[in-house]
Amino acid sequence: GESVGLHLPTLSVQEGDNSIINCAYSNSASDYFIWYKQESGKGPQFIIDIRSNMDKRQGQRVTVLLNKTVKHLSLQIAATQPGDSAVYFCAEGYGNKLVFGAGTILRVKS
Amino acid sequence: DGGITQSPKYLFRKEGQNVTLSCEQNLNHDAMYWYRQDPGQGLRLIYYSQIVNDFQKGDIAEGYSVSREKKESFPLTVTSAQKNPTAFYLCAAGLGETQYFGPGTRLLVL
């Protein structure tokens, strides 16, 4: 299978619990942020995005929080399900280019 | 994966051989991107194109070449000059800041 997850931080949660995945970004000029989900052997899937003029955005079962003061981004997944198991990574954007973090493995225990 | 297709899913390259990875999109997005993904690392930008007949080098362009003759197509050639080509290659298409990814091609060296 896909070995993209080697040496990445891992978050293990019980099915039904909430998950919080964190990301530190580097460029204070970044004005756009995206969270992606990547399952083994597949391409990244867009989850949710947020612009720098916002500090919170909600989607279906997911919430993204942005703290520009400390350059921190988090993804909250409510009622985590086994199908949420994947690698999650954030991307910061300026212009039409994105810079990607290495990712966090989310493992959901049934 | 949306309307982005990549082929083949697996590709084997012999020493000194050039190989071409296909990327096609039917999303009508102007911008297209090629990334390389290695275990434990974030995606790294190889080349990108914001319009037909124009493309720019990304962060790791050495040993790669691209063309953008049609809006729908952005093939990537891995040349013999790329000494460490084994990786998972991802193509993306973008509208504004958001990029949507294809399913990827895994390149292996024989």
Side-chain angles (χ1 to χ4, degrees):
Chain A
E2 181 58 57
S3 58
V4 66
L6 287 179
H7 310 303
L8 298 178
T10 300
L11 174 65
S12 293
V13 299
Q14 197 68 37
E15 181 179 358
D17 287 352
N18 297 335
S19 302
I20 300 176
I21 301 170
N22 297 304
C23 174
Y25 64 92
S26 58
N27 189 346
S28 57
S30 294
D31 58 4
Y32 186 70
F33 304 88
I34 307 176
W35 278 101
Y36 287 94
K37 171 187 179 182
Q38 187 174 26
E39 296 176 75
S40 182
K42 297 184 178 180
Q45 176 187 358
F46 173 91
I47 302 173
I48 192 168
D49 57 7
I50 188 168
R51 299 206 68 88
S52 59
N53 61 353
M54 304 170 68
D55 54 19
K56 180 179 180 178
R57 191 166 186 217
Q58 289 184 292
Q60 187 176 14
R61 273 200 316 120
V62 295
T63 300
V64 55
L65 298 177
L66 175 63
N67 185 332
K68 293 182 288 294
T69 303
V70 295
K71 293 190 285 188
H72 183 268
L73 195 66
S74 69
L75 177 70
Q76 300 178 2
I77 304 174
T80 311
Q81 303 167 0
D84 294 327
S85 293
V87 175
Y88 290 80
F89 53 88
C90 65
E92 56 181 303
Y94 44 94
N96 280 333
K97 293 178 69 175
L98 294 176
V99 175
F100 295 84
T104 296
I105 301 170
L106 176 64
R107 291 208 173 105
V108 182
K109 299 174 285 187
S110 298
Chain B
D1 300 337
I4 302 171
T5 57
Q6 290 186 243
S7 62
K9 186 174 175 65
Y10 295 95
L11 185 58
F12 297 90
R13 191 189 94 164
K14 294 180 181 179
E15 204 70 38
Q17 184 183 38
N18 294 351
V19 292
T20 298
L21 285 61
S22 170
C23 178
E24 303 281 329
Q25 57 114 349
N26 62 4
L27 302 172
N28 201 35
H29 290 343
D30 286 320
M32 296 187 74
Y33 306 80
W34 273 107
Y35 293 91
R36 171 182 171 134
Q37 188 173 37
D38 294 282
Q41 298 187 36
L43 276 64
R44 291 184 290 165
L45 183 63
I46 304 172
Y47 267 98
Y48 64 104
S49 168
Q50 294 183 310
I51 197 168
V52 173
N53 291 323
D54 186 55
F55 49 83
Q56 286 80 40
K57 292 181 179 180
D59 301 317
I60 55 165
E62 185 174 352
Y64 301 97
S65 65
V66 294
S67 62
R68 187 88 187 275
E69 298 177 1
K70 299 185 299 181
K71 188 175 186 177
E72 303 78 20
S73 180
F74 191 40
L76 173 74
T77 296
V78 184
T79 75
S80 57
Q82 172 49 247
K83 297 307 178 188
N84 184 24
T86 297
F88 191 49
Y89 289 87
L90 289 159
C91 176
L95 184 66
E97 295 95 344
T98 303
Q99 296 179 23
Y100 300 93
F101 286 87
T105 292
R106 175 153 290 280
L107 177 60
L108 300 164
V109 177
L110 294 176

